[in-house]
Amino acid sequence: MLSQGRAPDFDVIVIGAGFAGVYLLHRLRTDGYRVRVIEAGSNVGGVWYWNTYPGARCDVESLQYSYSFDENIDREWQWSERYATQPEIQSYIEFVAERFDLKRDILFNTRVESAAFDSAQNLWTLQTGNDQSDDSQSVTARWVVMATGALSSSKMPEIDGKDDFAGTTFHTGHWPREGVDLAGKTVAVIGTGSSGIQAIPEIAKQAAKLLVFQRTPHFSVPAQNGPIPQEWREQWDRDRQALRTEILSTRSGVLYDYGQTSALSVSDDERQREYEERWAKGGTNFLYAYNDILRDEDANSTAADFVRQKIREIVKDPVTADRLTPIGYPIGAKRICVDTDFYATFNRPNVTLVSVLETPIERINETGIKTSDRQYDVDVLIFATGYDALTGSLTRIDIRGSDGRSLKEAWSAGPYTNLGLMTANFPNMFIVTGPGSPSVLSNMVVSIEHDANWIGDTLNHLRQIGATRIEATEASQQAWMDHVRELAEATLYYKGNSWYLGANVPGKPRVFMPYLGGVDVYQAKCAEVARNGYPGFIID
Ligand code: FAD
């Protein structure tokens, strides 16, 4: 325990060195804080460091899925494709880290295992560890920023016998850094969400045989990826500042072509034309063809039926096509996937789809997977089973607040935050893209820059007034989370049994976590709170 009044080791500790931690370090260091970033991986990059599976790409176009805070970087970096690959995004984040000489303040290969708040001194003590030794280090800071990632806590399925498998096995979010040779192998992929849908077409090209185990079919639209068209590049170079500003006035932090009319207000022919055009252009822009696709079930069905028809046209075997066709939930209510040849991959002779709704997996055993009707022997078993989203990377750390209670306990009925940025009884702890913020329902680089700037501005304000403590009030977070829920209830998002609701993790409370009011509205609300002297927060 520190003696009264002794200075903490650092002003700010940031946990995580993905897009968020990298920018936070630059921003807070520029503002004169002594900052240390602690990162479990051996490099910057976050999800782009960990997700080295074949086919990993962003699904927001790279020109927009990139930092805006430094115009020189924005000008110098040239993306090669509309949707950059994982290695290119990783190089980009490293390029930014090198430009600002950030790595000297990042402690790599180190995991924060616990964090406890000392109310007498208003500071955090963190215990860290690493995989190489049992040594645990202790470090203190006045402020802690959780840049631990909304999608960084990988989730394994609840299947008996996972440890019995004798072959190679891993999660897509922990793809072996040395690579895996799949040539000549029989490979099983469990899961067909965003990561599975990206990886499956690439794995199919490498493996002798690929078995895809699917529980829920997902809606996917084609990326239509390729080089960035010259006229887009020129427009971006010419109007960069105006376009970056325009991004901030959108609902999702992405410049889509947002349709202004109802899907039900136009003729069938016109609607079909519109969907065909968007399908041909590619990307999630498809979902924004009309303003009620995510609000009205009939409007939604028009878009869902269009994709279902596409699946039937692409997939030659009608039984496989049927199994791949999503039914029973609205398009967009589960995260829509963006693919390159996902559906067409099932026309390959070396690819088989196994519906675990029809033939459930009974267990994993030494040689492979046993379903209700047969044994599948495989050499490599890949889990593309997603993440304990938004809360997992936080609750996996033993975080103790001012009353000694853990965050896990405090959030046992679901996460509570004010603006997604702070939670009551955990003073001086900020969260980036936390539950209750637009987070995973936005262009996350846009949200990350916003949250980091709000945190930086708040710390500057506290420094100016000589405060050493800030925390969200219980009342403010109750009101905010009620608002988050009401917004979600007015949409179709509530009808998908999705990870937005925690539905993919057994026992996780069903609380809709991302804020759906729009990036533009959210950022205005956060600015208003700061401008009005932080109502909903106690400052001391
Ligand atoms: P992360 O990148 O998740 O980084 C968090 C870091 O914290 C990790 O490196 C982790 O090792 C570290 N960490 C966590 N806990 C600890 C601990 N206890 N101790 C030490 N270190 C810790 N979003 C989009 O907007 N558009 C996209 O196209 C898009 N594509 C994606 C594709 C994939 C495959 C995935 C998984 C996510 C994608 N996302 C996308 C969401 C993505 O999470 C964000 O865009 C963004 O990269 C998050 O950055 P971050 O810095 O907040 O978190």
Side-chain angles (χ1 to χ4, degrees):
M1 184 70 75
L2 290 170
S3 59
Q4 186 74 29
R6 194 175 123 196
D9 299 330
F10 294 98
D11 297 322
V12 192
I13 289 182
V14 175
I15 309 177
F19 263 113
V22 162
Y23 175 53
L24 272 157
L25 175 54
H26 169 64
R27 158 79 214 239
L28 298 178
R29 211 164 69 176
T30 306
D31 285 358
Y33 296 99
R34 292 175 306 127
V35 189
R36 170 58 52 95
V37 177
I38 301 178
E39 166 57 54
S42 63
N43 202 346
V44 296
V47 300
W48 302 107
Y49 165 86
W50 293 107
N51 284 264
T52 57
Y53 61 81
R57 291 174 184 281
C58 53
D59 56 17
V60 169
E61 290 183 9
S62 300
L63 286 174
Q64 303 188 52
Y65 185 68
S66 48
Y67 290 123
S68 69
F69 72 88
D70 186 282
E71 212 187 320
N72 292 329
I73 283 189
D74 216 9
R75 278 192 191 288
E76 282 171 50
W77 187 267
Q78 293 290 320
W79 294 104
S80 63
E81 292 174 281
R82 278 176 73 186
Y83 301 97
T85 57
Q86 173 273 329
E88 192 170 355
I89 304 172
Q90 175 64 20
S91 302
Y92 169 75
I93 302 174
E94 285 183 42
F95 163 75
V96 174
E98 269 152 39
R99 167 62 56 90
F100 298 109
D101 189 18
L102 298 179
K103 288 191 185 174
R104 68 183 155 90
D105 285 324
I106 306 177
L107 188 60
F108 290 110
N109 300 308
T110 306
R111 181 168 288 282
V112 174
E113 286 165 349
S114 67
F117 188 70
D118 176 349
S119 259
Q121 300 188 70
N122 289 341
L123 51 80
W124 283 94
T125 302
L126 279 63
Q127 294 291 340
T128 65
N130 64 54
D131 297 340
Q132 277 81 49
S133 77
D134 293 337
D135 284 358
S136 179
Q137 303 284 330
S138 173
V139 59
T140 58
R142 174 78 65 219
W143 319 102
V144 166
V145 185
M146 309 302 290
T148 45
L151 296 174
S152 69
S153 178
S154 55
K155 155 91 190 54
M156 294 295 269
E158 316 293 309
I159 304 174
D160 285 342
K162 284 193 294 283
D163 296 335
D164 299 344
F165 182 61
T168 309
T169 180
F170 44 85
H171 188 282
T172 46
H174 293 275
W175 197 269
R177 304 207 69 72
E178 64 283 8
V180 232
D181 183 8
L182 300 175
K185 305 266 169 54
T186 299
V187 179
V189 174
I190 298 183
T192 53
S194 291
S195 298
I197 278 178
Q198 287 188 335
I200 283 163
E202 294 302 317
I203 294 172
K205 289 180 204 160
Q206 299 171 21
K209 199 168 173 207
L210 172 62
L211 300 160
V212 177
F213 290 82
Q214 173 194 264
R215 184 179 56 191
T216 312
H218 286 82
F219 287 99
S220 188
V221 291
Q224 312 289 19
N225 194 26
I228 299 174
Q230 192 54 27
E231 68 271 22
W232 293 13
R233 238 187 236 288
E234 284 168 9
Q235 192 204 4
W236 193 260
D237 284 344
R238 201 178 49 240
D239 303 331
R240 184 183 311 271
Q241 282 314 318
L243 292 169
R244 290 280 189 201
T245 305
E246 200 183 328
I247 284 176
L248 300 180
S249 69
T250 64
R251 301 203 300 268
S252 49
V254 185
L255 293 173
Y256 291 125
D257 181 7
Y258 293 92
Q260 300 300 326
T261 54
S262 162
L264 306 175
S265 68
V266 297
S267 69
D268 290 355
D269 282 353
E270 188 182 333
R271 201 169 46 234
Q272 186 73 10
R273 239 187 346 265
E274 181 70 26
Y275 287 148
E276 284 289 2
E277 245 174 59
R278 287 183 184 245
W279 184 271
K281 277 190 191 156
T284 48
N285 190 35
F286 179 83
L287 268 190
Y288 297 91
Y290 298 101
N291 63 12
D292 51 359
I293 291 179
L294 289 161
R295 297 193 167 268
D296 180 283
E297 294 208 42
D298 292 335
N300 188 280
S301 294
T302 65
D305 286 345
F306 178 87
V307 177
R308 292 184 185 120
Q309 182 57 33
K310 285 287 180 197
I311 298 170
R312 271 178 232 121
E313 285 167 20
I314 298 168
V315 181
K316 295 200 177 107
D317 171 40
V319 176
T320 305
D322 253 11
R323 287 184 177 140
L324 285 166
T325 301
I327 46 166
Y329 68 93
I331 185 169
K334 288 177 184 287
R335 188 183 177 92
I336 190 163
C337 303
V338 179
D339 70 277
T340 298
D341 294 336
F342 173 68
Y343 294 118
T345 294
F346 292 88
N347 295 332
R348 293 177 68 108
N350 67 332
V351 178
T352 305
L353 181 70
V354 180
S355 165
V356 305
L357 293 178
E358 293 167 23
T359 52
I361 295 177
E362 287 180 348
R363 63 174 299 114
I364 291 170
N365 51 31
E366 205 181 331
T367 54
I369 299 171
K370 167 84 179 67
T371 66
S372 59
D373 76 332
R374 56 164 287 195
Q375 168 75 21
Y376 294 91
D377 285 347
V378 301
D379 304 306
V380 182
L381 174 50
I382 299 166
F383 293 100
T385 42
Y387 296 90
D388 182 353
L390 285 119
T391 56
S393 63
L394 299 166
T395 53
R396 278 186 193 183
I397 306 172
D398 183 13
I399 307 174
R400 303 273 161 176
S402 50
D403 57 4
R405 257 196 341 156
S406 72
L407 185 70
K408 198 172 174 177
E409 239 179 298
W411 285 4
S412 59
Y416 275 90
T417 65
N418 188 8
L419 300 169
L421 288 158
M422 296 199 86
T423 183
N425 300 317
F426 293 82
N428 297 8
M429 182 183 91
F430 298 91
I431 307 167
V432 181
T433 61
S437 77
S439 190
V440 290
L441 280 173
S442 67
N443 174 348
M444 287 195 72
V445 182
V446 167
S447 290
I448 283 167
E449 284 189 327
H450 165 268
D451 292 3
N453 286 331
W454 191 90
I455 292 164
D457 293 347
T458 300
L459 292 186
N460 290 346
H461 170 71
L462 298 171
R463 180 167 62 185
Q464 212 171 13
I465 63 171
T468 57
R469 180 169 170 141
I470 180 169
E471 86 182 276
T473 63
E474 303 255 9
S476 71
Q477 66 179 15
Q478 182 68 53
W480 182 253
M481 293 314 278
D482 285 348
H483 175 53
V484 170
R485 182 176 38 77
E486 281 158 15
L487 287 169
E489 279 171 356
T491 70
L492 299 176
Y493 281 99
Y494 241 65
K495 307 216 164 182
N497 226 4
S498 69
W499 53 258
Y500 300 137
L501 268 162
N504 63 328
V505 179
K508 190 166 172 172
R510 298 288 170 99
V511 172
F512 194 86
M513 295 179 281
Y515 173 80
L516 272 170
V519 163
D520 48 349
V521 174
Y522 172 77
Q523 296 197 358
K525 279 183 192 286
C526 292
E528 192 186 325
V529 167
R531 217 173 26 249
N532 292 341
Y534 296 88
F537 295 88
I538 303 165
I539 293 177
D540 207 358

